[in-house]
């Protein structure tokens, strides 16, 4: 049986490799042309590169002044952006990673389909820069940004850098794309958005993706958590990810089992990075976490709308939860796994008062020492942000605009950048 399975696996791998090889050597359609945009050829025009210094290196970067917007690409006709690389001061400047915005517009739309702080967009939450590589993003040596995400457009594309920082941004970049004749009718547009809640609400899930209307595919997200000091020393990541599809209201169609479970790990999370999921920052001393999950091999499709949330739930001992309640911390216990491994209490058995929890067997109050003890899940209120990525059947989305620079920067230097460690 083991030999049969090994042989079957070898056939599958060989078939996939052969398919990929065919794609590599297949001749392009006569209407497909390769183009690069860089400071040495800012329009990507045929035969127009390298003229700045008579063929020698003469225009390696651009300078974007405070308050200025730079046009990285302004493309006409149908095409597809495959990759972008960017280096310079932005990957190395904390302020610029949060205050320089990357925007992308498709087919002449007035509202950007992509509008994110550039550091968070390129795969690392909390505006941090760490070396990593996954299927969509990479940051070699922590000094540059790369994405390899197909971004098709039918009539044109525009990519902008908006410098809302107080310092000049020096930017080395290239945008690699193909000109094509046309796209099939089912081709979707790429979208990305960023949001932050400085203090989530106990008992209400954080929205990774507020409800977006249309037909498309949820691609995934990277998430940053700045833990509330009131919970210091407890575990933040018991919250389950919920995905509401095609008219789901109170209850989602897709639901996970916990934060670290959603990103492919379990029983807590350290630092790791894989093709589709990873945890780039895991600092339990300062309660700083940045992690990602991308649905490449496990597609999440929607036909009408999609909404994605994550519960704000942590875990610690029942004794610690009682101590926090006594200190006035806004929390409540949700579920206890006692020392015998039995589920003895959960929210469905909760009495109206957050200080008095009884179940159908008339247990003592939660504050009573005779109440069963064990690991206790509880509502949390943390500083949570997320960059979300998805495809949609239209060049604009119904999501709210990017938060102000003040919201993006609030507390970052004091609570994150002065403390972050890997």
């Amino acid at each position: 049986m083991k030999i049969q399975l090994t042989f079957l696996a070898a056939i599958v791998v060989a078939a996939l490799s052969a398919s990929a090889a065919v794609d590599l050597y297949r001749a392009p359609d006569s209407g497909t042309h390769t183009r690069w945009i860089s400071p040495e050829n800012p329009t990507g025009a045929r035969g127009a590169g390298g003229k700045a210094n008579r063929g020698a290196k003469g225009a390696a970067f651009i300078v974007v002044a405070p308050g200025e917007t730079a046009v990285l690409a302004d493309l006409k006709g149908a095409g597809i952006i495959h990759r972008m690389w960017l280096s310079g001061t932005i990957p190395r400047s904390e302020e610029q990673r949060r205050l320089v915005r990357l925007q992308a517009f498709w087919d002449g739309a007035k509202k950007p389909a992509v509008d994110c702080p550039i550091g968070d967009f390129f795969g690392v939450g909390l505006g941090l820069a760490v070396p990593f590589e996954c299927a969509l993003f990479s940051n070699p040596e922590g000094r540059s940004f790369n994405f390899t995400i197909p971004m098709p457009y039918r009539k044109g594309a525009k990519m902008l850098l908006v410098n809302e920082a107080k310092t000049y941004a020096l930017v080395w970049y290239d945008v690699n794309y193909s000109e094509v004749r046309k796209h099939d009718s089912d081709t979707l547009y790429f979208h990305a958005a960023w949001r932050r809640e400085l203090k989530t609400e106990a008992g209400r899930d954080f929205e990774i993706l507020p409800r977006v209307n249309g037909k498309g595919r949820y691609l995934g997200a990277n998430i940053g958590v700045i833990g509330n000091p009131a919970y210091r020393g407890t575990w933040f990541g018991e919250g389950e990810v919920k995905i509401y599809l095609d008219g789901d209201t109170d209850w989602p169609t897709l639901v996970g089992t916990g934060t670290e479970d959603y990103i492919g790990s379990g029983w807590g999370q350290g630092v790791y990075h894989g093709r589709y999921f990873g945890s780039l920052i895991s600092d339990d001393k300062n309660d700083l976490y940045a992690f990602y999950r991308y649905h490449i091999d496990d597609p999440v499709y929607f036909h009408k709308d999609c909404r994605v949330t994550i519960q704000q739930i942590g875990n610690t001992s029942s004794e610690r939860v009682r101590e926090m309640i006594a200190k006035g911390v806004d929390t409540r216990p949700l579920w206890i796994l006692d020392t015998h491994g039995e589920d003895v209490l959960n929210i469905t058995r909760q009495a109206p008062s957050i200080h008095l929890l009884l179940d159908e067997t008339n247990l003592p109050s939660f504050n009573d020492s005779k109440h069963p003890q064990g690991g206790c899940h509880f509502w949390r209120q943390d500083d949570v942000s997320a960059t979300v990525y998805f495809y949609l059947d239209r060049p604009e989305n119904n999501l709210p605009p990017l938060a102000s620079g003040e919201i993006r920067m609030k507390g970052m230097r004091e609570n994150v950048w002065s403390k972050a460690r890997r």
Side-chain angles (χ1 to χ4, degrees), residues 3-19:
I3 294 176
Q4 291 176 337
L5 290 175
T6 303
F7 179 68
L8 179 60
I11 292 176
V12 172
V13 171
L16 291 174
S17 299
S19 175

Side-chain angles (χ1 to χ4, degrees), residues 2 17 45 82 92 139 146 197 203 227 245 250 273 293 334 336 354 387:
K2 182 177 180 181
S17 299
H82 302 287
R92 295 182 291 171
N139 189 345
N146 294 268
E197 287 187 27
L245 301 173
D250 294 339
H273 57 93
R293 167 74 184 273
L334 299 172
I336 291 177
I354 66 171
T387 308

Side-chain angles (χ1 to χ4, degrees), residues 87-323:
S87 189
T89 59
I90 296 175
R92 295 182 291 171
S93 166
E94 296 164 341
E95 180 187 64
Q96 290 183 5
R97 286 195 295 264
R98 262 287 159 92
L99 290 181
V100 176
R101 300 163 67 167
L102 179 68
Q103 296 184 324
F105 300 78
W106 312 128
D107 294 356
K110 294 183 178 180
K111 180 181 179 180
V114 175
D115 194 1
C116 300
I118 193 165
D120 294 77
F121 173 82
F122 277 93
V124 188
L126 303 180
L128 293 167
V130 297
F132 83 103
E133 180 179 12
C134 69
L136 303 181
F137 303 101
S138 66
N139 189 345
E141 302 183 82
R143 298 197 297 264
S144 66
F145 295 142
N146 294 268
F147 74 66
T148 50
I149 304 173
M151 302 181 181
Y153 50 93
R154 290 178 169 83
K155 300 177 182 178
K158 183 175 287 189
M159 189 171 287
L160 308 179
L161 274 185
V162 183
N163 186 4
E164 296 179 344
K166 297 178 181 179
T167 53
Y168 285 81
L170 277 66
V171 184
W172 286 252
Y173 72 96
D174 60 54
V175 179
N176 311 142
Y177 67 103
S178 296
E179 297 174 341
V180 302
R181 293 183 188 275
K182 65 177 183 178
H183 289 294
D184 294 337
S185 60
D186 60 354
T187 299
L188 302 172
Y189 295 92
F190 176 78
H191 293 251
W194 182 91
R195 65 185 310 271
R196 179 186 187 186
E197 287 187 27
L198 296 171
K199 189 176 184 180
T200 57
E201 180 182 330
R204 182 177 61 82
D205 297 349
F206 173 81
E207 286 188 311
I208 297 171
L209 174 63
R211 188 174 301 278
V212 65
N213 299 323
K215 181 178 182 178
R217 174 176 178 172
Y218 172 64
L219 196 57
N222 77 70
I223 299 169
V225 176
I226 306 171
N228 188 329
Y231 313 122
R232 189 61 46 84
T234 70
W235 165 239
F236 88 99
E238 290 299 331
E240 298 173 347
V241 169
K242 304 174 184 177
I243 302 180
Y244 298 79
L245 301 173
D246 300 331
D248 287 346
T249 54
D250 294 339
W251 308 107
T253 296
L254 310 179
V255 60
T257 59
T259 303
E260 79 274 39
D261 307 346
Y262 180 64
I263 59 172
S265 187
W267 299 90
Q269 65 191 63
V271 173
Y272 63 97
H273 57 93
R275 286 185 57 77
Y276 308 126
F277 33 69
S279 173
L280 300 177
I281 303 294
S282 183
D283 182 348
D284 56 2
K285 178 181 178 181
N286 296 297
D287 281 347
L288 300 174
Y289 299 90
F291 47 94
Y292 62 88
R293 167 74 184 273
Y294 301 123
H295 298 270
I296 308 299
D297 287 345
D298 59 328
V300 178
Y301 299 121
F302 55 94
H303 298 270
K304 178 182 176 182
D305 54 55
C306 180
R307 176 174 176 253
V308 183
T309 70
I310 184 169
Q311 298 165 333
Q312 300 301 286
I313 298 177
N315 179 270
T316 188
S317 67
S318 50
E319 179 182 3
R320 177 65 190 280
V321 172
R322 282 197 297 272
E323 291 174 356

